[in-house]
Amino acid sequence: MIDWKGSWITDANDMHYKPAPYFRKEITTLKTIKSARAYIATGGLYEFYINGNKVGNRMLDPMYTRFDRRNLYTTLDITADLKKGKNAFGMLLGNGWYNHQSTAVWNFDKAIWRNRPRCLVNIRITYTDNTSETIVTDESWKTADSPVIFNSIYTGEHYDARKEISNWNKPNFDDTSWKKAEISLAPSSNLVSQQLHPIRVISKLKPAKVEKINDTLYVFTFPRNIAGTTQLSIKNAVAGTVFRIKHGERLYKNGRVDMSNIDLHYRPTDNSDPFQTDIYIANGKGNESFSPKFNYKGFQYVEISSSKPFALDRNNILAFVINSDVPAVGTIKTSNEVFNKVWEATNSSYLSNLFGYPTDCPQREKNGWTGDAHTAVETGLYNFDGITIYEKWLADHQDEQKEDGELSNIIPNPGKFGYEFATGPDWTSSVAIIPWKIYTFYGDISLLTKMYPNIKKYVDLIDKRYPSGVTDWGLGDWVPVKSTSSKPLTSSMYYYADALILAKTAKLLGKTTDSEHYFHLAQKIKNAVNDQFLNKTTAIYCSGTQTELAGPLYWGLVPDEFRQKVADNLYKKVQETNFHLDVGLLGTKALLNALSENGYADAAYKIASQEDFPSWGYWIKNGATTLYENWPLDVEKNDASLNHIMFGEIGAWMYKGLGGIFPDEEIPGFKHILLKPNFVTGLDSFEAKYQSSYGEIVSSWKRKNGKILYKVTIPPNASASLYLKHGMSLSISPKEIITVNEGLYEVIQLEAGTYSIKLNEK
């Protein structure tokens, strides 16, 4: 805990005032500095400067929370930035989600916490003689308007370079005309250290193409759809020339940027705040460069218009790819190039929607939709070390949960939107599913322990509202291809999953009474679902859609004696669509897994690798570099984002359904690995690598001369159980093996090491 000193400060303006404020403070240090740290809390966003230079490379700090309940502070090592003698500190504050001045249907402009940006800074300097001092924010700091004349996390940033103040954040600057900072109230009384991977510029892209429309209008095409910003660099512009930098995902037939698919929820108050558009006003002083500090967009195309004729080419603009800088931990390589691109597009969409919390899309909403996040959590965890992001976001769940246990559909939410719909278990099961997945992937029980009371409150709420064990509370199988599935069935599936997770967690935590109670509740839900929805004569749930058959299989609701019959019916169902998807979001999570885990991996791969409508490959064949919000390409009739993560389960399924890499929840964290590879027809080779806490796990196979050559690596201090279909003749090196028959499988126990296995295909 930090023993905070000083005061929160702001300027004299209210929340409607548009220019972003500068703050500065100058000190003199007479001793030699040993170490120094800056502890920074803000309502809104900040950039921190010492002696004219920005400290670090972090973007959009601190992360977004429910500001009236919890604020994050960041810690910066500034030892190397300070010098003996005069030092100047500078702060530039942006609005972020704290002071949302743009209007949209989500009512963030009416958020109950909304206020003028403010900050609390403690700078702690330790000298070589072991004395120390703390520089704090108070009325001695000075403030003035910056050239950032407007900034919105949702729409764009406006910068008037004519208003630049030279050397404002350097020593010996004359700030006598600046005003004193004002003491302000804290956004909340709860300051928490920000302990997660920061947002950074990950890479830079040059335009692949530029089209001149006329002397004042150019359109730039970048290699792929991204989340991020652009940097405009110009030379010898006439002072006062206005450049409008418009970002979008599509082009009209006339070559102009088309935002009709992403401005659905935008409600402009006037023309001064255009969507996904930065505005730069040149100062006319030669070389000029602009990149927004407090905003990001989703785009592949950029349209730049100027108020006066100005020649532009590919050297005038760069795209910055920005997201939470989570390390990559997984790779997939296959003999199917389109399939490889699906994996790449899935990862691109996942990262495009990771900004200190998981979002749905980086352009029109940027909201933390709970259903999108728990559906994609395994895709995230197989590919990236994202535990810190989820730990932070689950704390956001705690901030949002009502006393009766209800959760909002977007987290964080503005306090006036989020409880009207999509708050049932099919969406807000994120409170249980994500901490459970973190436990199985990392072997770390701390998040489950922390969230246990919240999961319990949520499950108890559903039990109270729906004592029969069946609930219709939820949004249902969102955006189905064609068939509509039973909402009571899909909502009850997730209710069962939550109750079962709660029971298992109670057992892990030694809460015997709770464990018995919630195992009983889970069984009650399972019985009720099967009594109401399962036709025991036909082994079909409800009307037998792909979602209605796959969901109960995937979530473990099907009684053992019906499991194979239900799986057989699911196979027949996908045959009817010639192995094409006919599901929505919830069905997409379940379908491929239900098939590959029940003897129909070939069918799952056929679906996953299709290249005509509707499929992931269909998007790729039509130029997609990210995943879309809807299966059709006709966005004129479907206001669909082209960078959504909600259909991203396929990224996790590649590790599971083809590589067969599963954590063992009995011995979690990949201490013991369950290996269930499927050597599917249609692929000549496949390789999955996953960097677990114990080291790299490799599951790779290829076909050669009628045999499967399978290689597997088990990291040190780990072991694995390898499940191979019973009856497949095999040889293994470097050691003899012991096999145990288990139904359709032979189970081979493997210790740490690398193994080469030859199998004869049937």
Side-chain angles (χ1 to χ4, degrees):
M1 294 292 292
I2 300 300
D3 181 19
W4 289 96
K5 302 180 185 301
S7 304
W8 284 80
I9 60 170
T10 186
D11 61 8
N13 299 300
D14 66 19
M15 65 185 183
H16 302 291
Y17 191 68
K18 291 185 177 181
Y22 277 152
F23 296 87
R24 73 179 311 274
K25 170 76 173 181
E26 193 168 325
I27 66 167
T28 300
T29 56
L30 300 178
K31 300 178 181 181
T32 302
I33 297 169
K34 179 180 179 181
S35 65
R37 300 287 186 274
Y39 303 93
I40 302 173
T42 62
L45 303 171
Y46 77 88
E47 285 200 341
F48 182 57
Y49 304 86
I50 297 178
N51 300 329
N53 299 311
K54 178 186 171 182
V55 177
N57 59 4
R58 303 158 72 110
M59 300 280 292
L60 303 173
D61 249 353
M63 301 300 112
Y64 170 33
T65 59
R66 175 70 184 262
F67 295 107
D68 59 333
R69 295 180 180 171
R70 184 168 54 100
N71 300 99
L72 301 181
Y73 69 86
T74 55
T75 304
L76 305 177
D77 184 342
I78 58 171
T79 308
D81 300 282
L82 295 177
K83 60 185 180 181
K84 188 175 181 180
K86 290 185 177 181
N87 290 277
F89 304 109
M91 289 285 289
L92 171 62
L93 297 185
N95 288 322
W97 292 104
Y98 180 64
N99 186 34
H100 200 275
Q101 294 177 323
S102 301
T103 50
V105 297
W106 314 119
N107 296 327
F108 282 95
D109 59 313
K110 299 180 178 66
I112 58 179
W113 62 66
R114 188 181 163 193
N115 218 324
R116 181 71 172 162
R118 56 205 54 213
C119 66
L120 173 65
V121 181
N122 278 205
I123 300 163
R124 300 192 176 182
I125 304 171
T126 301
Y127 299 102
T128 53
D129 64 0
N130 289 325
T131 61
S132 64
E133 68 172 319
T134 302
I135 314 302
V136 303
T137 41
D138 55 25
E139 290 176 298
S140 68
W141 288 60
K142 304 292 283 294
T143 183
D145 289 348
S146 76
V148 180
I149 57 176
F150 174 77
N151 69 100
S152 168
I153 191 73
Y154 183 60
T155 60
E157 192 162 307
H158 308 169
Y159 188 94
D160 189 344
R162 299 170 301 178
K163 296 180 180 291
E164 289 180 340
I165 306 172
S166 298
N167 302 319
W168 71 274
N169 50 14
K170 293 183 178 180
N172 300 315
F173 174 77
D174 183 3
D175 61 11
T176 54
S177 64
W178 286 35
K179 297 178 181 178
K180 286 185 177 182
E182 293 196 352
I183 304 301
S184 62
L185 294 175
S188 80
S189 59
N190 187 18
L191 277 179
V192 178
S193 175
Q194 178 171 294
Q195 297 180 1
L196 67 159
H197 292 291
I199 298 167
R200 292 190 178 100
V201 174
I202 304 301
S203 61
K204 299 177 182 180
L205 301 178
K206 293 182 178 180
K209 180 182 177 182
V210 58
E211 288 288 333
K212 179 180 178 180
I213 307 298
N214 56 49
D215 288 344
T216 62
L217 187 62
Y218 292 78
V219 176
F220 297 84
T221 299
F222 287 92
R224 58 188 179 91
N225 196 345
I226 67 167
T229 61
T230 49
Q231 181 184 67
L232 176 67
S233 299
I234 55 174
K235 186 177 182 180
N236 298 329
V238 176
T241 303
V242 179
F243 293 87
R244 297 169 69 91
I245 310 163
K246 180 179 179 180
H247 304 71
E249 295 184 319
R250 297 181 68 92
L251 297 177
Y252 289 114
K253 291 180 180 179
N254 65 4
R256 301 284 300 274
V257 166
D258 171 13
M259 292 199 298
S260 63
N261 69 310
I262 55 173
D263 63 2
L264 173 68
H265 303 302
Y266 179 45
R267 300 293 182 268
T269 304
D270 52 49
N271 293 328
S272 68
D273 183 16
F275 188 59
Q276 286 228 137
T277 302
D278 295 323
I279 297 175
Y280 178 75
I281 305 173
N283 61 21
K285 295 181 180 179
N287 293 324
E288 302 181 49
S289 181
F290 163 74
S291 183
K293 304 175 186 301
F294 302 126
N295 176 270
Y296 72 98
K297 300 102 176 159
F299 66 97
Q300 186 171 2
Y301 305 96
V302 175
E303 178 181 299
I304 302 180
S305 60
S306 55
S307 60
K308 295 180 174 64
F310 194 89
L312 295 171
D313 60 33
R314 296 184 189 185
N315 296 316
N316 291 109
I317 190 169
L318 282 175
F320 293 166
V321 180
I322 299 174
N323 53 254
S324 290
D325 190 11
V326 289
V329 295
T331 57
I332 295 287
K333 292 181 181 178
T334 81
S335 56
N336 183 333
E337 285 305 313
V338 172
F339 205 55
N340 294 340
K341 290 180 179 179
V342 169
W343 177 74
E344 292 171 1
T346 302
N347 283 355
S348 291
S349 281
Y350 179 79
L351 291 176
S352 293
N353 286 289
L354 206 65
F355 281 79
Y357 63 109
T359 69
D360 58 332
C361 56
Q363 3 68 7
R364 77 182 198 191
E365 295 188 52
K366 299 181 171 76
N367 282 331
W369 282 97
T370 49
D372 300 48
H374 72 64
T375 300
V377 65
E378 286 181 286
T379 288
L381 294 178
Y382 274 112
N383 287 292
F384 302 98
D385 180 16
I387 184 173
T388 60
I389 309 298
Y390 290 114
E391 287 173 334
K392 178 264 177 191
W393 195 52
L394 268 297
D396 294 330
H397 279 61
Q398 293 179 312
D399 290 341
E400 295 291 1
Q401 191 169 35
K402 291 183 176 180
E403 282 300 315
D404 67 357
E406 189 174 359
L407 289 157
S408 60
N409 49 27
I410 59 171
I411 296 175
N413 85 79
K416 296 189 176 182
F417 171 85
Y419 297 92
E420 294 84 356
F421 72 103
T423 58
D426 53 358
W427 244 245
T428 45
S429 284
S430 53
V431 72
I433 291 173
I434 291 177
W436 182 255
K437 292 300 179 183
I438 293 292
Y439 169 68
T440 59
F441 271 71
Y442 288 89
D444 184 351
I445 202 171
S446 58
L447 188 58
L448 265 181
T449 304
K450 178 182 177 183
M451 295 304 299
Y452 181 80
N454 304 91
I455 304 170
K456 187 174 184 291
K457 284 172 66 175
Y458 188 58
V459 169
D460 287 347
L461 172 66
I462 307 172
D463 187 24
K464 181 179 179 181
R465 290 186 179 181
Y466 301 92
S468 71
V470 170
T471 174
D472 63 353
W473 185 25
L475 193 57
D477 197 22
W478 187 247
V479 196
V481 174
K482 182 179 177 181
S483 299
T484 301
S485 298
S486 164
K487 188 170 69 171
L489 173 61
T490 56
S491 291
S492 299
M493 291 185 321
Y494 281 88
Y495 177 27
Y496 172 74
D498 294 344
L500 190 59
I501 288 170
L502 182 58
K504 292 176 181 178
T505 304
K507 184 178 180 180
L508 287 170
L509 299 179
K511 299 178 182 294
T512 305
T513 302
D514 277 5
S515 178
E516 292 174 354
H517 172 75
Y518 291 110
F519 274 122
H520 177 77
L521 175 61
Q523 187 62 48
K524 172 185 171 182
I525 298 165
K526 184 175 183 177
N527 293 341
V529 165
N530 288 309
D531 289 345
Q532 185 164 333
F533 302 115
L534 174 62
N535 184 320
K536 294 179 174 61
T537 301
T538 62
I540 289 174
Y541 284 84
C542 299
S543 63
T545 67
Q546 289 182 10
T547 295
E548 290 167 342
L549 295 172
L553 282 168
Y554 176 71
W555 292 109
L557 283 152
V558 183
D560 290 343
E561 65 269 27
F562 289 98
R563 189 168 184 85
Q564 193 57 53
K565 293 179 182 179
V566 174
D568 294 343
N569 284 329
L570 176 59
Y571 178 73
K572 293 173 185 176
K573 195 65 182 178
V574 298
Q575 280 183 309
E576 293 177 9
T577 59
N578 194 24
F579 301 98
H580 283 76
L581 296 158
D582 186 17
V583 293
L585 172 60
L586 306 182
T588 307
K589 177 68 180 180
L591 179 62
L592 301 181
N593 295 293
L595 287 166
S596 61
E597 292 171 16
N598 290 280
Y600 290 108
D602 282 356
Y605 177 68
K606 282 184 182 180
I607 295 169
S609 61
Q610 292 288 1
E611 295 179 7
D612 58 347
F613 178 82
S615 68
W616 294 275
Y618 175 66
W619 291 336
I620 299 299
K621 295 291 281 189
N622 283 277
T625 58
T626 46
L627 305 187
Y628 293 176
E629 186 185 10
N630 208 333
W631 300 105
L633 300 177
D634 185 3
V635 294
E636 286 76 20
K637 296 180 181 178
N638 300 278
D639 298 307
S641 140
L642 303 188
N643 197 347
H644 250 67
I645 190 53
M646 68 181 191
F647 292 128
E649 166 62 16
I650 189 170
W653 178 79
M654 292 181 187
Y655 291 89
K656 296 182 290 182
L658 299 177
I661 300 174
F662 293 85
D664 182 352
E665 67 179 46
E666 298 298 326
I667 310 174
F670 294 96
K671 173 72 172 173
H672 183 255
I673 306 152
L674 302 179
L675 286 172
K676 300 179 180 181
N678 289 298
F679 314 117
V680 296
T681 302
L683 267 185
D684 294 326
S685 65
F686 176 86
E687 179 183 75
K689 293 182 177 180
Y690 171 70
Q691 189 70 32
S692 74
S693 300
Y694 291 91
E696 187 175 66
I697 302 166
V698 180
S699 177
S700 69
W701 51 265
K702 62 181 178 180
R703 287 188 163 82
K704 187 175 183 180
N705 300 326
K707 295 183 183 294
I708 297 291
L709 305 179
Y710 178 54
K711 289 189 176 182
V712 58
T713 298
I714 310 303
N717 300 310
S719 62
S721 295
L722 171 60
Y723 291 72
L724 296 173
K725 288 184 179 178
H726 184 61
M728 295 182 78
S729 60
L730 59 89
S731 62
I732 185 170
S733 62
K735 69 173 193 176
E736 295 298 318
I737 58 168
I738 299 173
T739 64
V740 179
N741 290 336
E742 186 177 301
L744 296 174
Y745 297 97
E746 287 184 304
V747 185
I748 304 169
Q749 302 303 324
L750 302 176
E751 300 301 320
T754 297
Y755 302 86
S756 296
I757 304 172
K758 288 184 180 180
L759 302 103
N760 291 319
E761 286 196 89
K762 286 187 177 181

